[in-house]
Structures are given as structure tokens and as C-alpha cells.
Amino acid sequence: PTLRWQAAESTQSVRFFFARLTATRGGLEASPSQTPTQRTPRMARLEAALFVAEEALTARRLMQVATLASVAEVRELIDRLNEAYDEVGSAFRIECVAKGYRLLTRAEFAPWLDRLHARGARLKLSPPAMETLAIVAYRQPITRADIEALRGVRCADVLKWLMDHELIRIAGEDNSLGRPFLYATTRKFLETFGLGSLDDLPMADRLRPPREAPAESHRPSAGVSSQASDSDQPVDSAA
């Protein structure tokens, strides 16, 4: 009799449990989305690597540093970290920059951070520098003569300034008379302007010319002298 009573009591308890489960099923099913993202040691290692990195790290590099299984796991953990940041209203977020990833502060905190680090004074682009940099960004690879033809003024000093600040680089030589240098943007350019790649430039699909595969297909540049380096090339008086 004791066993039968215990069995009956157990059956009644089970029925009561399932009755409550049925009544609250909607709440139980919705609870996972309300559960805070659980942090794991792998997430912590990835976060630490991004925190100390001084430049954008590729997914493969992060996989090696944080000893993760695959690039896919890196991207999955980055998504989970960003979810965790969003849940608590964190000032941080992991963004894709220069074909890599960086742990950055959100844009709305820039005014306060500028006071702390005076970031506004770190890199100031004059209108000529900004115009020249924009031409290189959208038309790269491009020769100095072509840049000056578009701007209508000499730009040797501006190009030197942009190179000194590692925003542009010499990407090769054009297959035209004198083989002038070709200029292109750098990885630091992408990091400075928060771009994942050149495809993230505003209206890139409309303003960037079609890509040309072979280097020999670059069009000849007008007004180029026969010297090997374009740093001493004269500008055509018509420009």
C-alpha cells in the first residue's frame, strides 16, 4: 500500500508539473533569448587578444593567438562577444577594419575620448590633402601626373605628406613612358577611416573604375617625363 501511495503521489506530481509546463510554455520558450550571453574561456582569450592589439588582426591571426579551432569559430565568438556588449550597453564593439578585426569604442563616445587623448590633433588633413587622398582612394593605382591632371595643380608635396603619414604608398610602376610610380592607399588608411575594405568607400561601385587584372593594362599617363621616378616629373603647363 505504501508503494502504491507513493506511486500515485508521484503520478499526481508529474501531472501537476506538466500542467504547469503547458500553461507557461510560452514563457519557457521565450526565456533563452532573455538569458545573458554566457562567456567562455575561448571568448575571453579572443577578447584579450583584441584588447592589446595595436592594429587590426585577421581572423586567421586571431585563431592562432587565441588558440581557437578555426576561422569560423573566431567569427562566431566575435558575434557572441558583440551580443554580450549589446546586452549590457557596453561602450565597446568589435568591428571589421582593414580586412581584420579591432576592439573599438562606439562612435557616440568620441567627444569624451577626444578630450582625453586629443585625437583630433593627431591627424588633420588639409583640403588639398583630403582631395588628393580621395583621388588616390577611388582611382588607385594612379600616377602623380593623373592626380595633378584631375586636381589642376602640383601635388608632389601633398603626396609626400600623405606617404610620410602612411596613408598612401607606392604600389608599382605604370607601363607608360618613363614608368612613373603608381600610388595606392595603405592598410593604415583603412584603419584611420574605419573601413573594412575599399569596397566600403561611399558610392564605391559608382566612383571606382572597373578593376584591371594585369599591371600592363594601366593606361598611359599624359604629361609624364622620361625619368624613372615621378617625384621629379614636371607638370604640363596646361594642367
Side-chain angles (χ1 to χ4, degrees):
T2 303
L3 291 176
R4 284 198 298 271
W5 179 83
Q6 290 178 344
E9 185 181 46
S10 299
T11 302
Q12 184 178 4
S13 299
V14 170
R15 288 175 179 172
F16 178 73
F17 171 78
F18 278 103
R20 291 190 60 188
L21 178 62
T22 303
T24 60
R25 180 173 295 276
L28 289 175
E29 290 179 348
S31 60
S33 62
Q34 300 171 357
T35 303
T37 302
Q38 297 297 320
R39 288 177 172 267
T40 65
R42 290 173 178 262
M43 292 172 65
R45 294 200 302 267
L46 179 63
E47 186 178 39
L50 288 166
F51 180 78
V52 301
E54 296 182 355
E55 61 181 7
L57 299 179
T58 64
R60 184 168 298 278
R61 180 58 177 157
L62 285 169
M63 177 189 71
Q64 297 170 348
V65 173
T67 60
L68 300 176
S70 64
V71 169
E73 184 182 13
V74 171
R75 297 194 177 102
E76 178 186 352
L77 293 181
I78 287 175
D79 290 340
R80 292 175 60 185
L81 282 170
N82 278 333
E83 289 177 3
Y85 297 151
D86 292 340
E87 288 169 359
V88 298
S90 172
F92 302 101
R93 185 168 179 81
I94 301 171
E95 297 288 354
C96 180
V97 178
K99 299 182 179 179
Y101 294 94
R102 295 204 69 177
L103 179 62
L104 303 174
T105 52
R106 297 180 188 268
E108 55 264 33
F109 297 99
W112 292 274
L113 297 177
D114 285 341
R115 298 175 189 174
L116 179 62
H117 292 292
R119 295 189 306 170
R122 186 179 303 175
L123 180 63
K124 288 185 177 180
L125 292 175
S126 64
M130 181 65 76
E131 183 178 327
T132 302
L133 182 59
I135 292 174
V136 174
Y138 281 98
R139 303 299 298 272
Q140 61 184 301
I142 186 172
T143 64
R144 195 190 80 174
D146 285 341
I147 298 172
E148 292 174 336
L150 289 170
R151 293 197 60 222
V153 295
R154 297 176 182 270
C155 59
D157 292 339
V158 177
L159 287 172
K160 183 179 184 303
W161 188 92
L162 292 172
M163 290 187 64
D164 289 342
H165 288 77
E166 300 179 355
L167 294 175
I168 65 172
R169 61 186 174 87
I170 295 176
E173 297 179 347
D174 189 59
N175 193 35
S176 59
L177 181 63
R179 301 189 65 84
F181 289 142
L182 291 165
Y183 293 93
T185 54
T186 63
R187 185 185 183 93
K188 183 178 179 180
F189 164 80
L190 296 175
E191 292 182 354
T192 300
F193 290 91
L195 301 173
S197 68
L198 294 175
D199 293 333
D200 294 331
L201 286 167
M203 297 187 294
D205 55 336
R206 294 171 53 188
L207 298 179
R208 292 183 64 199
R211 296 179 181 178
E212 300 175 352
E216 291 76 14
S217 63
H218 292 299
R219 65 189 183 284
S221 302
V224 178
S225 72
S226 59
Q227 298 179 18
S229 171
D230 73 338
S231 59
D232 297 322
Q233 293 171 4
V235 181
D236 192 286
S237 58

